[in-house]
Amino acid sequence: MELNNDGIIMDPPVYGHGPDGEKWDFNESFPKLLSLCRLVLSDRPVFILINAYAISSSALMLENVLVDYVSDLGGETEVES
């Protein structure tokens, strides 16, 4: 089954563990999460909304990572800190 979503809303944790003990660290894991999100986005998505209020990184870093993974889709990025 192929998934083609026009938008994604996410609220990834800063830190955590998966059911098999996998480590989640926002700064290390967020880029992989974005690459996986690309697999389920349509060719012309409308939005990606990321709630990342508790991270230690700056809003600029978050925007730069997002742009790295989705800039080829066109559109604009907006970051509020």
Side-chain angles (χ1 to χ4, degrees), residues 42-57:
S42 67
D43 293 335
R44 298 192 57 174
V46 179
F47 67 90
I48 300 173
L49 177 64
I50 305 164
N51 182 20
Y53 62 91
I55 64 171
S56 61
S57 304

Side-chain angles (χ1 to χ4, degrees), residues 4-80:
N4 291 308
N5 296 288
D6 289 326
I8 292 177
I9 299 172
M10 66 174 86
D11 185 11
V14 174
Y15 187 80
H17 289 91
D20 295 321
E22 311 93 341
K23 179 181 136 185
W24 167 271
D25 176 85
F26 186 89
N27 291 325
E28 294 174 19
S29 305
F30 184 64
K32 182 176 181 180
L33 176 61
L34 284 177
S35 66
L36 293 172
C37 287
R38 288 294 308 263
L39 299 176
V40 299
L41 278 174
S42 67
D43 293 335
R44 298 192 57 174
V46 179
F47 67 90
I48 300 173
L49 177 64
I50 305 164
N51 182 20
Y53 62 91
I55 64 171
S56 61
S57 304
S58 70
L60 178 62
M61 185 284 305
L62 181 63
E63 182 175 24
N64 288 338
V65 172
L66 181 61
V67 167
D68 285 347
Y69 282 85
V70 300
S71 63
D72 62 310
L73 296 173
E76 301 174 14
T77 58
E78 180 180 328
V79 175
E80 293 184 20

